[in-house]
Amino acid sequence: MSAPGLFTVLLGAALPLIDFFIVNVALPSIEHDLAAGPALLELVVGGYGVAYAVLLVLGGRVGDSLGRRRLFLVGMAAFGVTSLACGLAPDAWTLVAARVAQGAASALMLPQVLATIQATTEGPRRARAMSLYGATGGLSMVAGQILGGVLVAADLGGTGWRAVFLVNVPVVVLGLVLAVRTVPDTRAGRPAAVDVPGTLLLALSLVSLLLPLTEGRAAGWPLWTWVSLGVFPVAAAAFYVTERRADRLGRTPLVPPSLLRLESLRRGLALLVPFSVGFSGFMFVLAVTLQQGLDMDPVTAGLALVPMAVAFFAAALAGPRLVSRFGSRIVTAGCVLQAAGIALLLVTLRHGWPDLDVAVLAPGVALAGLGQGLQQPVLMRLMLSDVPADRAGVGGGVMITVQQSALALGVATLGSLFLALVPTAGLRAAVSTTLLVQLGLIALSVLLSLRLPRMR
């Protein structure tokens, strides 16, 4: 794949992740303009994440069968249309519906990125492309909140929060033009039929877990949330049994159990969960803390994250050289650096509250970003290193589904913990407790990183 083609697919990888985080700083404006209560605001975030996570594996499978460039183009075009619908939404429920559709469009587009990279590169070129993919993913998560703050504050043409969605439209048009010219068309050598039972059971499993965790606190934990959480283990067990039986009968299940027998993928996924839960929860809590606790305007709150973005990008670029020397132990080093950054930020918040500015926060934020940048790109490269080329779409879909589900879970759990503590304990105590929980997740990540296969 050419350099312009790689740039184009990485652009397609950036858009969905940017839009997962970009609304964090826009939620107060959305609440004011559309008279949306807490439950609807949770759906604006959670509806996108749930639809995205539920359909990712299916998107990878369809791309393997019908052609990855075709699905990339369809997904990107749909992402542009649904972004326009979000930006023009006249009321909160229309915005929620458009966000769900936007998540579905993302699920068609994103799996094709990893599958195309896997199918068109090898050796050092693949390692470099995977490092750039990981760097793009991490930077997109941070840049989403920075860009969101700038766009809301700029109020371009009186659009206010709507600009965070409308900005996608010209980017998508550019992406479509580039994709037609530069992205190669690949597909699996032996296309498999869609696994309908597996798709439905996976959707039921993810929805029954993510929806009540996302909506439960804002809705007051009504009966349906507990019933839904009770359905989750049953649906998950049924999904596993169905997939194993399909594999045994010689069919092609949605998530082939043989893929999970790959040590690199299985152990990498186990580490990806606490990393992503902690990352998304941290970004959500930090966005609220900067604006509501430290009284920063959206632009200043965005600038506070710039050191994290710069450090993440620098670490991601250095990753391939460091891996060639230290192997997968660089992930362990990244965990330790991230923990040091979170601990420094915790001390800074507790002792300097509320007289804190961007410069005072920068060391802790930058150190955390440096640690994250050493983890995510290397981890993604490791997870897909042993996946066969003809299963690249499914392998990428599985990895991104786990990542996206964990990102949604992080906002739902750490975000809910933080918001539940604010009324009684105060904002400083709430953020301190949440950061301590994240340190616990990082300690788990350290232990899991020691079990990763050696990689050079």
Side-chain angles (χ1 to χ4, degrees):
M1 183 164 50
S2 65
L6 180 60
F7 170 81
T8 303
V9 294
L10 291 180
L11 177 65
L15 287 173
L17 289 170
I18 286 175
D19 266 57
F20 184 87
F21 288 90
I22 200 169
V23 297
N24 281 349
V25 293
L27 289 177
S29 299
I30 295 173
E31 180 179 19
H32 178 267
D33 287 357
L34 301 184
L40 281 176
L41 290 177
E42 292 275 5
L43 277 176
V44 170
V45 179
Y48 176 88
V50 170
Y52 187 13
V54 163
L55 296 173
L56 271 167
V57 177
L58 180 62
R61 170 63 56 82
V62 175
D64 284 349
S65 301
L66 299 183
R68 290 155 187 153
R69 185 176 71 168
R70 179 185 299 179
L71 261 291
F72 182 80
L73 290 169
V74 170
M76 181 170 277
F79 187 86
V81 171
T82 53
S83 295
L84 181 62
C86 289
L88 299 178
D91 54 62
W93 278 110
T94 303
L95 177 59
V96 169
R99 282 284 284 173
V100 171
Q102 190 185 36
S106 298
L108 290 179
M109 177 170 56
L110 190 57
Q112 318 316 324
V113 175
L114 276 173
T116 300
I117 290 174
Q118 289 285 95
T120 59
T121 60
E122 58 184 18
R125 290 183 63 225
R126 177 180 294 178
R128 179 174 174 273
M130 287 302 301
S131 295
L132 288 173
Y133 174 85
T136 299
L139 276 175
S140 299
M141 298 177 197
V142 180
Q145 292 192 186
I146 297 174
L147 181 61
V150 171
L151 289 173
V152 170
D155 192 23
L156 301 173
T159 54
W161 61 267
R162 298 178 187 275
V164 305
F165 301 113
L166 296 176
V167 71
N168 291 330
V169 177
V171 177
V172 164
V173 172
L174 173 63
L176 289 171
V177 172
L178 290 174
V180 170
R181 297 181 177 183
T182 65
V183 176
D185 194 15
T186 63
R187 66 184 69 201
R190 294 171 294 173
V194 173
D195 175 14
V196 176
T199 300
L200 294 176
L201 286 170
L202 178 63
L204 180 61
S205 300
L206 292 175
V207 170
S208 63
L209 174 66
L210 295 177
L211 190 59
L213 288 178
T214 301
E215 282 296 290
R217 184 198 62 84
W221 297 105
L223 178 61
W224 72 264
T225 59
W226 298 107
V227 172
S228 182
L229 288 172
V231 168
F232 167 68
V234 178
F239 172 71
Y240 174 74
V241 170
T242 300
E243 298 298 273
R244 188 175 63 175
R245 182 173 182 271
D247 207 24
R248 192 167 57 242
L249 293 175
R251 301 170 188 161
T252 307
L254 188 69
V255 181
S258 56
L259 275 184
L260 299 180
R261 295 191 197 108
L262 298 174
E263 183 184 38
S264 54
L265 180 62
R266 185 177 68 254
R267 294 190 177 184
L269 289 175
L271 177 53
L272 184 64
V273 171
F275 174 84
S276 299
V277 167
F279 189 97
S280 64
F282 171 76
M283 295 299 290
F284 176 82
V285 169
L286 193 60
V288 175
T289 300
L290 292 175
Q291 292 185 82
Q292 297 186 7
L294 303 180
D295 293 324
M296 292 184 181
D297 58 72
V299 173
T300 306
L303 289 175
L305 296 175
V306 169
M308 174 180 284
V310 172
F312 189 107
F313 189 64
L317 290 181
R321 294 196 306 274
L322 293 172
V323 167
S324 66
R325 183 173 180 182
F326 300 106
S328 57
R329 288 296 174 259
I330 198 66
V331 177
T332 306
C335 294
V336 173
L337 286 173
Q338 183 189 6
I342 297 297
L344 179 57
L345 187 60
L346 175 60
V347 171
T348 303
L349 287 170
R350 287 193 62 83
H351 291 281
W353 190 277
D355 301 317
L356 296 167
D357 57 24
V358 172
V360 175
L361 296 171
V365 170
L367 193 55
L370 185 66
Q372 291 160 349
L374 290 176
Q375 293 175 70
Q376 181 169 297
V378 177
L379 192 57
M380 289 186 167
R381 174 183 163 189
L382 171 69
M383 281 187 284
L384 296 179
S385 59
D386 297 324
V387 175
D390 62 346
R391 290 185 169 184
V394 177
V398 170
M399 184 187 75
I400 303 167
T401 297
V402 171
Q403 180 192 39
Q404 186 62 39
S405 301
L407 289 174
L409 191 61
V411 174
T413 53
L414 294 183
S416 293
L417 171 66
F418 170 74
L419 294 174
L421 289 173
V422 170
T424 55
L427 210 148
R428 185 178 72 163
V431 70
S432 299
T433 301
T434 309
L435 291 179
L436 286 172
V437 172
Q438 189 184 2
L439 284 174
L441 289 171
I442 297 173
L444 175 61
S445 297
V446 170
L447 296 176
L448 291 172
S449 72
L450 296 175
R451 293 177 53 81
L452 291 175
R454 295 284 182 174
M455 180 178 64
R456 290 294 175 104

